[in-house]
Amino acid sequence: MTQQNPSAPAPADDQAARVAQLHAECRADYQQAAANRAANAGAARDQLALGRAHAAEAAGR
C-alpha cells in the first residue's frame, strides 16, 4: 500500500478544482464584506437620524 505525499503536486484536474474553490470562497468573502458595508451604512444613517431627532427635540424645549 502506498501513501500519498500531501506536498506532492496535484494533478491538473485537482488544481483546477482547487482554483475554482478558492475563487468561490473569494466571491463569498467579497459578498459578505459588501453586505457588512451596507448594514454599517444603514446603521450610521439611523444613528444620524436619531441624533438629529434628539437635537430637534432639545431645541424645541
Side-chain angles (χ1 to χ4, degrees), residues 2-39:
T2 61
Q3 293 182 350
Q4 293 184 352
N5 181 356
S7 62
D13 289 342
D14 289 345
Q15 288 177 350
R18 180 68 180 140
V19 168
Q21 178 187 3
L22 289 173
H23 280 292
E25 290 174 13
C26 286
R27 279 191 302 274
D29 288 346
Y30 180 81
Q31 290 172 344
Q32 182 62 46
N36 287 344
R37 284 191 303 275

Side-chain angles (χ1 to χ4, degrees), residues 52-61:
R52 287 180 176 165
H54 281 233
E57 184 178 288
R61 285 187 185 175

